[in-house]
Every structure is written in C-alpha cells, then in structure tokens.
Amino acid sequence: MCNRAEATDPGFVAQKSAMTDTSFRTLGVPAPLLDVLAKDGKTEAFPIQVDTLPDTLSGRDVLGRGKTGSGKTLAFSIPMVARLGGALAGGARRQGRILGLVLAPTRELATQINATLEPLAAAYGLKTTTIFGGVNQTRQVQALNAGVDIVVACPGRLEDLMKQGYVKLDAVEITVIDEADHMADLGFLPSVTRILDKTPRDGQRLLFSATLDNGVDKLVSRFLQNEVLHSVDEANSPVAAMTHHVFHVEGADAKKELVRTLASGTGRRILFMRTKHHAKKLAQALTAQGIPSVDLHGNLSQPQRDRNLAAFSAGTAKVLVATDVAARGVHVDDVELVIHVDPPMEHKAYLHRSGRTARAGAEGSVVTVVLPGQEKDVKDLLRKAAITVTPTRVTPTSPEVAELVGQVAAYVKPEPKVEQPRGGGRSQGANAQRKRAARDEGARAGGQGRSGGRGAGRDAGAGRGASAGQGRGAGRDAVARTSDSHGRPAAERSARSAQQPAAAGNARTPGRRASTGGGSKLTVGSVVRSNGGGQRRGR
C-alpha cells in the first residue's frame, strides 16, 4: 500500500501506471461489479482508477487529482458500492439515514454521477437517488422517506432537507467530494464544511479536485485522515489526445458563417457561449438553418435541461449550445468537436470546456473563434492553459475548416413553430382554478344580493307610504333615510353594492357607511359619517 510520499513521487506514479495488467479484475473489483462493467464494455481501468482503487477498496482516505475526463467517477463509484454492499453491509434500510454520500457542485454533474452509480448499486440491491435544487423537493423527500442507501447531492438543497429533518448523516460510512475546486469557485465550501461536520469522523472520505486552491486544502487537512494522494498528470493539464485550433475571422458576419459551417458535420459538437441569451438564440438559428440544436444554460428548468441533454445524447440533436453550466459534469460519449464561439474569461474555464471532448482516451478537437481585438486576450489565455497553437486566419471554405467538418450532415427541415394564443387562454394551474372559483362564488352571491336589494327597496317604499302621515316631518325623514349624499335611492345603492364583490382586506370605499348590524359594533375599515345623532368612529 502506498503512502503520501510514494503517491507524490513521479517515478512511483509512473511505475504504477505502467502496470502490464490494468484490468478491473486484477485491481480487486468484486465479481458482481465486474459483470456490470463488462456489460458496459469496461474491462480495463484508466490511470486514475489503477492508482486509487487498491487504496479506496481497502478503506483508506484518498485525495485524487487528475485532469478532466480522466475517469474519476468510476474511481470512487466502484469502491463506494463494493464496500457498502460487502464489508459495510448489514442492517435494515432506515428512513432518512443514508450510508453513502457524494457531493457535487451542479445538477448536471449529480445526474451524471448517479447514472454511473445506479447500475453498480443495483448489483448489490442498493438504492440511490439525487438531491439538488431547481426542482420541487417532493420526489426527493419521498425517496428519503422510503429509504435510500446512497445520495448524490448538491450542497444547498441537501442542507435544506437536513434542516427540515428529512435526512440525517450520522450513519454515513463513505463520503465523496467531487470537483471540490469547482465548489470552491461557486462559494459552496462553507456549506460543504457544515455537511461534513455532520458525518462520522471515522468514516471513509474521498476528495477529488483538479487544484487545491481557494480553500480546498483546508478541507483536506480538516476532514481527511492519513490520506493517500494520487495525481494523474498535472492539475488542469491539457489532454494529450486533444487537438487545438485558433481561427481568426474578419468580423461578426464571418464568425456567424464559420460557426454554422463548423456545426454542420455529422458528429456531435458542443458550442460554448458566454451568455444564456446568446446560447438560446444560436441554438434557434442553427435549427432554423437545418442543423438540429438544443441549448443548455441556467435559465432552463430541470425537466428542460434533462430533455435537451437526452436529445443530444440520443443524437436527435447533433449540436449542444451551452454556457459554462455544461463545462463540468456533462459527459456525453463521442463529442468530436468543442467550439469556443465566445472565448472564456480564464484558462481554467477553457480547459474544463475543452474537456467535453477527448474523454477517457478518445480523440477530439477544440476550436477557438477570435474576432478582431480579442487576439491578445486569447493569447494570454492559452499561455496560462499551457496550450501551444499557431493562430490561422480562415473563412468558412478554408481547408482547415473543411477537415474539421468532415462529412456534412443532411439538411433537417425544422418543425413549424406553434404560435401560442395571446390572451383568452385558460390556465389550468391550481392558483388559476382557485381564482376562477372565487369569481364564480362572487357572481352567485351578487345575483342573490341584487334580488334581495330589489325586494328590500319595495318593502322600504311600502313602509314609507304607511308612515307618511304619522309624525311631524316624517316624509322628509324617510327621504333622508332612503337616499345617499348624491340623491340615489337606497335600493339602487344596495344593488350596486351587491354587484361588486367585497375587496380583500375590506378596503375603504369613498362614501361607504359603517354597518352596525342592528347594534353598535362597526365593521373594520368602514368610513363613519354623522347620521342624525352623535358622530361615531370606526376602528
């Protein structure tokens, strides 16, 4: 078993990675998991898996550092399932108490991790689920209440459910922190720290990160015990099987045409934009030009994200136009080209965007499109990313472009847009239904009020006629009682009032009299005026 000094020694790492037999069977992966991996065409381990599996399977804490696309997900998924289904198995599944926890910075990454974990866990009868924000928590709460073994979670929503008492971490045996450096960039480390504090100190902890800056090193020193460090290549290093191109264009129009040409091939492409609006706009424009495209950015709901990713994975859409939300965690096989339509702001983003291609030993190409005035920024960006490439001035018909496009895909006629009716629509949401029911009830009450008002008016008229000669000034008093300050009869006032449903909160209405209901108690919010006697005041 290696120690920290051995793991950080380049010669030792090279010797381990040069093992002649790197099969999962040789590395000690249990037979049930070997069958699942073989069905997915996985029999040989990648370097990060070769280095870490002997230690993680034996229960050691591990700090793994490797470039994007190196196979880290399997490197922690295999030992988590193997140990929870074997050495740490036992006891009935309990509501809200989980055994394994994986923390990830984004919903996309959490979904991808769970997709890898789920078939492995099923081999041992273990249950997994995802927990993240942006969706209703009901499904997540139901899964926790039914009992689940492994949770893949984003820190924010997990903390919410912990505070509500739906999940407890006191029984966690293995905790994984994936993409710790990205969580630091997003400001999640305080939340991660609070979550890790709730897990048992004697549990196994695995942390994977490209770098140890921005506070990641503090997580390591506080929560990992006697950890083993494994590094595969340098942190944030470019992938050897990736070919980089920098294309200079004359202006915005030439850029649009170049991007359309590069997107027109038969293979999968991911196009990166800087803003959500432009990502959506470009996906729509390409689709209208016969290149089926979907977008991925922060303005989409989770169902929309899932639907667009499914279309891209299935091949019904060959182009994914994304913001940096897809730079981590989106693993779709056979992405042959990544295009930086808008160059990123810093070199780490460039490497993570580019890492969507040439994953796990495959080959891929990366193109950065440069407008006049962007040359210096892109040059500095590539220098920091340790990328050496000679810029080329191109047009859409240049040989360099044609080589990257390859065979042009057939034109796909876009589906006609369905115009949504403007106004007059009838929403079926719960809130809309409650409002309609309230309006209907008010209309019925208004109809009854109008009928009662007319009857009351006739009765009042009869009463006035009967008492006309019975007292001094009786006629004048009757007129005063049955008309308002504008001279309108009482029956008219009653009908008008019945037609208007009461406003919420009993808002004050000009000219409205206080209702005494036959006694001295006044209605809250009423306006009180003098009425033949002493002045009364409403509350």
Side-chain angles (χ1 to χ4, degrees):
M1 186 178 296
C2 66
N3 56 33
R4 179 189 287 270
E6 291 173 332
T8 54
D9 177 53
F12 183 82
V13 172
Q15 182 180 358
K16 288 186 67 178
S17 297
M19 292 173 58
T20 55
D21 188 355
T22 58
S23 67
F24 287 116
R25 186 181 302 277
T26 303
L27 293 170
V29 176
L33 300 185
L34 289 175
D35 294 338
V36 176
L37 292 169
K39 289 178 181 177
D40 199 27
K42 298 181 175 71
T43 57
E44 297 294 317
F46 295 120
I48 188 69
Q49 298 157 6
V50 172
D51 287 355
T52 59
L53 281 174
D55 292 320
T56 53
L57 286 169
S58 65
R60 294 286 300 274
D61 285 5
V62 166
L63 169 59
R65 296 176 64 184
K67 61 182 181 287
T68 183
S70 60
K72 297 191 300 294
T73 303
L74 266 184
F76 62 75
S77 297
I78 289 173
M80 172 174 275
V81 173
R83 298 197 69 225
L84 292 180
L88 301 178
R93 188 177 287 124
R94 292 180 292 172
Q95 174 180 328
R97 277 186 162 81
I98 61 176
L99 302 178
L101 172 64
V102 182
L103 294 177
T106 66
R107 290 178 274 180
E108 286 73 26
L109 182 55
T111 302
Q112 295 282 342
I113 291 171
N114 189 62
T116 300
L117 263 172
E118 199 169 27
L120 298 173
Y124 286 98
L126 299 175
K127 282 185 170 184
T128 71
T129 194
T130 54
I131 290 178
F132 45 70
V135 295
N136 192 290
Q137 72 175 35
T138 302
R139 180 201 62 80
Q140 300 166 4
V141 171
Q142 290 173 345
L144 291 169
N145 288 339
V148 66
D149 301 296
I150 301 173
V151 163
V152 185
C154 294
R157 173 57 64 84
L158 178 62
E159 265 207 305
D160 289 343
L161 296 184
M162 289 168 61
K163 291 175 183 177
Q164 296 176 55
Y166 290 118
V167 59
K168 297 184 182 300
L169 306 182
D170 55 349
V172 171
E173 299 281 359
I174 304 174
T175 305
V176 176
I177 305 99
D178 194 21
E179 303 280 12
D181 56 327
H182 190 31
M183 282 204 253
D185 294 339
L186 296 175
F188 288 159
L189 287 196
S191 180
V192 172
T193 301
R194 291 190 294 268
I195 290 170
L196 291 178
D197 274 333
K198 300 296 183 181
T199 62
R201 287 200 59 80
D202 58 350
Q204 183 183 14
R205 287 163 179 163
L206 314 177
L207 186 146
F208 290 85
S209 181
T211 63
L212 295 181
D213 54 0
N214 293 337
V216 176
D217 55 339
K218 295 180 181 178
L219 277 184
V220 174
S221 60
R222 179 171 176 177
F223 294 107
L224 270 64
Q225 301 180 31
N226 193 26
E227 71 277 6
V228 183
L229 170 64
H230 291 287
S231 294
V232 178
D233 297 326
E234 292 298 321
N236 277 336
S237 63
V239 180
M242 190 183 295
T243 305
H244 297 263
H245 305 267
V246 176
F247 289 162
H248 288 196
V249 293
E250 293 182 351
D253 291 338
K255 176 180 176 178
K256 288 180 182 178
E257 187 59 27
L258 174 62
V259 170
R260 187 203 66 78
T261 303
L262 289 171
S264 64
T266 56
R268 291 192 179 98
R269 281 112 162 88
I270 298 182
L271 281 56
F272 280 102
M273 307 290 290
R274 192 169 293 170
T275 69
K276 296 174 280 192
H277 170 71
H278 287 147
K280 177 182 178 181
K281 187 176 179 181
L282 179 57
Q284 291 175 339
L286 291 174
T287 300
Q289 292 171 329
I291 304 172
S293 306
V294 292
D295 52 337
L296 184 67
H297 49 78
N299 276 355
L300 299 179
S301 66
Q302 191 60 39
Q304 289 173 321
R305 293 188 188 196
D306 293 341
R307 185 165 57 249
N308 288 357
L309 273 176
F312 185 59
S313 299
T316 53
K318 291 289 187 181
V319 176
L320 175 68
V321 187
T323 58
D324 284 332
V325 72
R328 297 186 188 235
V330 175
H331 180 190
V332 178
D333 292 332
D334 302 323
V335 174
E336 66 179 34
L337 181 62
V338 167
I339 306 171
H340 300 284
V341 179
D342 293 331
M345 297 297 292
E346 46 96 27
H347 71 284
K348 287 172 64 176
Y350 177 90
L351 290 170
H352 286 296
R353 284 181 175 190
S354 303
R356 298 315 97 198
T357 187
R359 296 182 67 86
E363 295 184 354
S365 298
V366 178
V367 170
T368 304
V369 182
V370 183
L371 286 169
Q374 295 179 330
E375 296 90 349
K376 185 179 182 302
D377 291 339
V378 172
K379 182 179 178 180
D380 293 341
L381 179 81
L382 296 175
R383 177 180 53 81
K384 293 177 182 178
I387 303 293
T388 303
V389 57
T390 303
T392 307
R393 185 165 295 278
V394 300
T395 65
T397 58
S398 297
E400 297 88 348
V401 176
E403 183 180 356
L404 287 174
V405 173
Q407 181 181 355
V408 177
Y411 175 87
V412 178
K413 184 178 180 181
E415 296 181 0
K417 287 186 177 181
V418 179
E419 292 293 336
Q420 297 294 330
R422 294 179 177 270
R426 186 177 177 87
S427 173
Q428 297 302 317
N431 194 38
Q433 293 182 23
R434 285 194 297 270
K435 289 181 178 179
R436 281 198 294 270
R439 286 196 297 267
D440 294 344
E441 183 66 26
R444 286 194 293 270
Q448 296 173 359
R450 284 191 296 272
S451 175
R454 286 191 297 269
R458 287 192 298 270
D459 293 343
R464 287 194 300 272
S467 60
Q470 292 182 2
R472 193 174 50 191
R476 289 192 299 272
D477 291 342
V479 172
R481 285 194 301 269
T482 55
S483 63
D484 61 9
S485 59
H486 299 286
R488 290 176 300 196
E492 181 181 343
R493 289 203 316 275
S494 176
R496 286 178 177 270
S497 175
Q499 291 173 4
Q500 298 176 352
N506 198 18
R508 294 171 181 254
T509 304
R512 179 179 172 188
R513 292 187 182 276
S515 172
T516 62
S520 61
K521 187 174 180 180
L522 303 178
T523 303
V524 175
S526 300
V527 177
V528 180
R529 302 179 186 277
S530 58
N531 189 17
Q535 189 176 19
R536 296 171 294 176
R537 297 187 180 275
R539 287 181 291 170

